[in-house]
Amino acid sequence: MNDILYLAWRYLRFNRGKTAVLVASISLILFLPAALQVVVREGARTLTARADSSPLLVGSAGSAVDLTLGALYFREPTLEPLVYTEVGRLAETGLATAIPLHLRYNVRGRRIVGTTLDYFEYRGLQVLSGRSFAVLGECVLGASAARGLQATVGGHVLSSPAGAFDVAGTFPLKMKVVGVLAPTGTADDEAVFVDLKTAWVIAGLAHGHTDVTAPGAESGVLAVEGDNVVANASVLSYTEITPENIDSVHFHGSPDGFPVDAILAVPHDRKSGVMLRGRYEEPGSAVQMVVPRAVVDDLVETMFSIRDAVFAVSLGLGLATIATAFLVFALSIRLRRREIDTMRKIGASRGRMRAVLATEILLVVVVSVALAATLTALVGRFGGAVVGLL
């Protein structure tokens, strides 16, 4: 038996190019359907878990999918924002806790989530180092966001402009990092959390000004007309809120009209949730309430439908690949006619020659299966990270 295995191995090693192509082809055919199954299953589990922990969402009328993915995974909002009055309206029902979410801005690709400390309490987010935000201009980073931004407690991060053609005059805000959250394995790890009012400051709904009447501020004075001091263009809105200027920061208008992108509604009990949903089921309303689990179930069903279609295609490709592999082996045997005749002349029996050829095929299949299993195990091990990237 050792001589059969030795001859088969030496042949495959000598023809390493053909062997590598066969192993790669068979491995991919086995790996792709298995990996797809793992990724879809992990994606369904992750989506379902996040949706289960988010009972109800309120947002502007439009796509329920966009609202759900935006509020749960902090995607860039596509729906029109709500006014803050809706948060009060929801809270006044006495049926649920209303947690506002502002999601319009980011820090180098990490979404800035303007919310309240109720969000931390509900999600069970723990501060690993530092503390929670307490005043305007402070932020708390998710675990992955802190690593990606290379920021630590005591450092600063700068909000990104709303867009390349932002002509509204809003300035990036330099925010002090006061805390870093413990890892959760959810979208919260990638977020930059700030107080809702800080998000409004970034949106340009509040600002402060330099005290041009203070000593040393003469360079910013354009003219003095009696008790009125006219500042020149060098006096710009603050891009950082400090203890020295925080008292000068003021909002323009009533906060009731300020924007929020979604409201996470946490009913006090199941009955309260049913009653609350009934209050938002008004035809033609500009505000909608969605059940994230129902939206995610539809997405998961679509995912499994796509998986089944891809699996069917992979099965056809697999059969074609296996047929091609056997054709390669068959042609190889014909090309090795002289080699086989030599083996017969030196005393090898017909059965022994068949055993050598079968062992060659078996070795290729075993190596392919092992490689496919290893790749599938890696996908299973890091499936959560893969789904997170998607």
Side-chain angles (χ1 to χ4, degrees), residues 152-364:
T152 57
V153 175
H156 292 81
V157 295
L158 192 66
S159 66
S160 302
F165 302 99
D166 179 18
V167 296
T170 59
F171 293 92
L173 180 66
K174 185 179 181 180
M175 298 173 288
K176 182 178 181 180
V177 179
V178 297
V180 175
L181 298 176
T184 63
T186 68
D188 296 322
D189 290 344
E190 295 286 348
V192 177
F193 292 96
V194 300
D195 180 70
L196 184 59
K197 290 183 179 180
T198 299
W200 289 339
V201 171
I202 298 174
L205 299 174
H207 70 271
H209 288 294
T210 302
D211 183 5
V212 294
T213 65
E218 294 82 0
S219 61
V221 177
L222 180 63
V224 178
E225 301 174 358
D227 293 334
N228 296 323
V229 180
V230 181
N232 62 31
S234 67
V235 181
L236 299 176
S237 298
Y238 288 118
T239 57
E240 181 179 5
I241 299 175
T242 65
E244 290 74 24
N245 64 35
I246 190 170
D247 290 337
S248 71
V249 178
H250 57 279
F251 289 88
H252 305 284
S254 170
D256 288 341
F258 290 177
V260 293
D261 292 297
I263 306 171
L264 175 61
V266 185
H268 301 315
D269 50 45
R270 186 174 181 276
K271 180 180 178 181
S272 298
V274 174
M275 294 175 62
L276 194 60
R277 289 172 60 188
R279 298 194 180 194
Y280 280 84
E281 290 182 357
E282 299 177 8
S285 174
V287 180
Q288 65 172 331
M289 174 173 282
V290 301
V291 181
R293 179 58 192 264
V295 175
V296 166
D297 284 344
D298 290 339
L299 287 176
V300 170
E301 184 178 349
T302 302
M303 288 169 57
F304 279 108
S305 298
I306 296 174
R307 181 207 63 181
D308 293 341
V310 174
F311 185 81
V313 173
S314 298
L315 183 61
L317 290 174
L319 293 175
T321 300
I322 292 173
T324 302
F326 277 105
L327 178 61
V328 170
F329 280 115
L331 292 175
S332 176
I333 292 173
R334 293 183 64 88
L335 292 174
R336 297 168 62 189
R337 179 69 59 187
R338 293 181 59 185
E339 176 187 340
I340 294 174
D341 289 340
T342 301
M343 292 175 63
R344 291 180 60 184
K345 290 177 181 179
I346 62 176
S349 65
R350 190 179 299 272
R352 210 162 188 77
M353 288 187 295
R354 289 175 178 173
V356 172
L357 297 175
T359 302
E360 293 174 6
I361 298 174
L362 182 62
L363 285 175
V364 170

Side-chain angles (χ1 to χ4, degrees), residues 22-28 30 363-373:
L22 288 171
V23 169
S25 300
I26 298 174
S27 297
L28 285 176
L30 296 174
L363 285 175
V364 170
V365 172
V366 168
V367 173
S368 299
V369 170
L371 180 58

Side-chain angles (χ1 to χ4, degrees), residues 16-234:
R16 56 175 60 91
K18 182 188 74 172
T19 303
V21 171
L22 288 171
V23 169
S25 300
I26 298 174
S27 297
L28 285 176
I29 289 300
L30 296 174
F31 164 70
L32 291 178
L36 179 64
Q37 175 72 16
V38 171
V39 171
V40 169
R41 185 175 65 246
E42 180 64 23
R45 186 195 65 78
T46 302
L47 286 171
T48 301
R50 186 73 168 171
D52 283 339
S53 65
S54 309
L56 297 170
L57 290 173
V58 177
S60 296
S63 169
V65 174
D66 288 347
L67 173 60
T68 300
L69 294 182
L72 299 192
Y73 292 94
F74 308 140
R75 304 301 188 201
E76 184 173 358
T78 58
L79 302 179
E80 290 296 318
L82 298 169
V83 292
Y84 186 72
T85 305
E86 289 295 334
V87 179
R89 174 192 170 194
L90 180 58
E92 288 172 0
T93 64
L95 300 174
T97 300
I99 304 176
L101 297 171
H102 188 287
L103 308 167
R104 294 280 158 176
Y105 299 93
N106 67 84
V107 176
R108 285 157 44 191
R110 273 75 178 183
R111 188 65 48 190
I112 296 175
V113 180
T115 185
T116 63
L117 293 178
D118 288 337
Y119 184 88
F120 285 53
E121 181 179 355
Y122 177 68
R123 293 291 192 199
L125 302 180
Q126 301 294 325
V127 178
L128 185 64
S129 60
R131 58 174 175 83
S132 297
F133 50 74
V135 299
L136 287 176
E138 294 182 342
C139 69
V140 175
L141 305 181
S144 299
R147 288 194 301 270
L149 297 173
Q150 297 181 348
T152 57
V153 175
H156 292 81
V157 295
L158 192 66
S159 66
S160 302
F165 302 99
D166 179 18
V167 296
T170 59
F171 293 92
L173 180 66
K174 185 179 181 180
M175 298 173 288
K176 182 178 181 180
V177 179
V178 297
V180 175
L181 298 176
T184 63
T186 68
D188 296 322
D189 290 344
E190 295 286 348
V192 177
F193 292 96
V194 300
D195 180 70
L196 184 59
K197 290 183 179 180
T198 299
W200 289 339
V201 171
I202 298 174
L205 299 174
H207 70 271
H209 288 294
T210 302
D211 183 5
V212 294
T213 65
E218 294 82 0
S219 61
V221 177
L222 180 63
V224 178
E225 301 174 358
D227 293 334
N228 296 323
V229 180
V230 181
N232 62 31
S234 67

